[in-house]
Amino acid sequence: MWAAPGRVNVIGEHTDYNQGFAAPMAIDRYTAVAAAPRSDGLLRLLSGAGAFRGPVAEVPLHGLSPGRTRGWVSYPAGVAWALLEGGVLDRGSFGGADLAFASAVPVGAGLSSSAAIECATGLALAALAGADLPPAMLARLAQRAENAYVGVPSGPLDQLTAAFGVAGAVLFIDTRSGAVTPYPFDLPAAGLTLLVLDTKVHHDLGASGYPDRRAACERAARTLGVPALRDLTVADLCRAERELDEQTARRVRHVVTEDERVLKFVSLLAAGDLSGLRLRAAGELLTASHLSLRDDYEVSSPELDAVVAAALRGGAYGARMTGGGFGGSAIALTATDQADEVAQAVLAALPGADIFPAVPAGSAYRVC
Ligand code: ADP
Ligand code: MG
């Protein structure tokens, strides 16, 4: 049995496909897979998760290629495909597998259940084949499964977090170099609680909104003559406003200021325990990130705005949407003794919300 965690992106949203910075953490909610080898060239897949529960799906490995499968099955099948393409699994000798999934990561809630199922699958299949799969390669092949097989043009953030998560730490990720540096984020020691505010609402707009945003960023980088928006600073924003249309300039402003916020956030963590002025500054960065995503990047939703505003009214230090947006979850950073009040304020604003605390957790691993 293998397992991989979901994640909360603490700060650094929509920066990963711009070769920028992010500071996510793996959370103490995992997707587990029980796996057994086969010798008939089949993948047999079973999920216990809500809408995806049973029956068993059978996928022949021979001729496996993007488009061969539909729905949730494409996530584990895509990982098998990426491992075969990447040479981690040997086409001649790998005989297939039975894979049964159980998950405590809410699905489609912006907490990256997709990277969790991918990374659990990757570890399991490699182990059944006796193949070595270091975390960087696990993350790269899981992302390839999602991009090239499932067809979602996501950046590397989610899979890197599932593959490199460290208990008690936020991961500072430079998505250009792939470097992952843990920074201590010991919430209980600081008397802090990070609440996940799952709105339980997801808007279809996300299906086109995400690739649209990504394309706008790539166009803007070309127009401004840089390899990626990562290569701009706030000093370049005046030029961006002159050379780009108003909406695209706002998209660029979000990405550039968000990269700056990530750097400031990790410098606060590097300076010592989060308390006093540093804690207030960290909270303000989270809230500023939300406003930028709401107004400049336009990927928030009425429900996300409502829970963020309510959490702040309830006394949180900072709050923001997390994940790609258009619904899903927000997070709130609060003193632990204020967490109930924050949760009550959120429930008063959005009675259907699911609220739970999360702590930074470890990476994908072999359970037994
Ligand atoms: P998120 O990653 O934010 O949860 P995504 O839309 O990226 O949302 O991924 C959700 C999809 O991943 C689901 O629609 C389903 O296809 C697949 N998935 C994730 N976890 C599971 C699971 N435990 N069982 C079956 N499918 C899953
Ligand atoms: Mg996902």
Side-chain angles (χ1 to χ4, degrees):
M1 184 179 289
W2 289 261
R7 63 104 189 87
V8 149
N9 192 12
V10 181
I11 193 161
E13 213 66 75
H14 287 278
T15 49
D16 65 340
Y17 52 80
N18 290 298
Q19 300 185 17
F21 305 114
M25 64 187 218
I27 58 172
D28 49 334
R29 293 202 166 211
Y30 288 79
T31 295
V33 57
R38 301 182 63 84
S39 53
D40 57 2
L42 284 181
L43 279 183
R44 295 180 75 246
L45 305 164
L46 178 68
S47 173
F52 312 107
R53 184 166 304 163
V56 173
E58 287 195 355
V59 179
L61 288 172
H62 183 74
L64 187 64
S65 58
R68 278 291 166 95
T69 54
R70 291 193 177 283
W72 77 270
V73 166
S74 291
Y75 288 83
V79 172
W81 171 80
L83 265 55
L84 287 164
E85 289 277 297
V88 173
L89 298 178
D90 178 58
R91 284 187 195 280
S93 61
F94 184 65
D98 285 334
L99 300 174
F101 299 93
S103 183
V105 185
V107 173
L111 303 174
S112 201
S113 69
S114 57
I117 193 173
E118 289 156 10
C119 289
T121 302
L123 277 192
L125 293 180
L128 292 184
D132 194 30
L133 187 57
M137 198 189 292
L138 171 64
R140 192 167 53 75
L141 292 175
Q143 188 197 353
R144 181 158 157 71
E146 186 155 328
N147 293 168
Y149 190 100
V150 182
V152 178
S154 48
L157 173 76
D158 298 351
Q159 293 82 5
L160 282 171
T161 311
F164 282 96
V166 174
V170 151
L171 308 176
F172 171 55
I173 301 184
D174 178 339
T175 61
R176 170 166 282 164
S177 68
V180 179
T181 313
Y183 280 80
F185 193 51
D186 188 345
L187 295 166
L192 295 172
T193 294
L194 191 83
L195 290 177
V196 175
L197 319 172
D198 179 359
T199 66
K200 300 278 207 180
V201 181
H202 208 89
H203 299 280
D204 285 342
L205 197 59
S208 59
Y210 188 96
D212 280 358
R213 296 300 181 283
R214 187 172 179 151
C217 290
E218 285 163 4
R219 269 198 321 274
R222 273 197 303 278
T223 305
L224 296 169
V226 288
L229 295 186
R230 144 75 179 268
D231 297 297
L232 301 175
T233 69
V234 284
D236 298 306
L237 291 179
C238 284
R239 182 165 76 90
E241 272 167 37
R242 277 199 311 274
E243 295 186 21
L244 301 168
D245 64 87
E246 188 272 339
Q247 185 188 68
T248 310
R250 277 190 288 118
R251 306 294 189 245
V252 171
R253 184 165 62 191
H254 165 70
V255 173
V256 172
T257 58
E258 186 77 351
D259 272 340
E260 286 234 322
R261 282 185 287 271
V262 175
L263 295 175
K264 284 185 187 153
F265 186 81
V266 295
S267 73
L268 291 169
L269 295 186
D273 289 345
L274 266 193
S275 60
L277 287 178
R278 271 201 302 277
L279 175 54
R280 296 210 173 270
E284 280 164 19
L285 288 169
L286 299 187
T287 306
S289 167
H290 183 79
L291 299 182
S292 177
L293 288 156
R294 184 190 72 183
D295 300 336
D296 279 351
Y297 219 62
E298 295 180 283
V299 292
S300 189
S301 70
E303 297 82 9
L304 286 168
D305 294 340
V307 297
V308 164
L312 294 172
R313 274 199 308 277
Y317 291 111
R320 62 180 291 272
M321 54 160 277
T322 189
F326 305 104
S329 300
I331 54 171
L333 182 65
T334 171
T336 299
D337 58 16
Q338 189 72 22
D340 276 348
E341 214 156 309
V342 172
Q344 289 312 321
V346 169
L347 283 176
L350 191 69
D354 182 24
I355 303 172
F356 57 91
V359 294
S363 64
Y365 71 110
R366 181 174 190 154
V367 179
C368 60

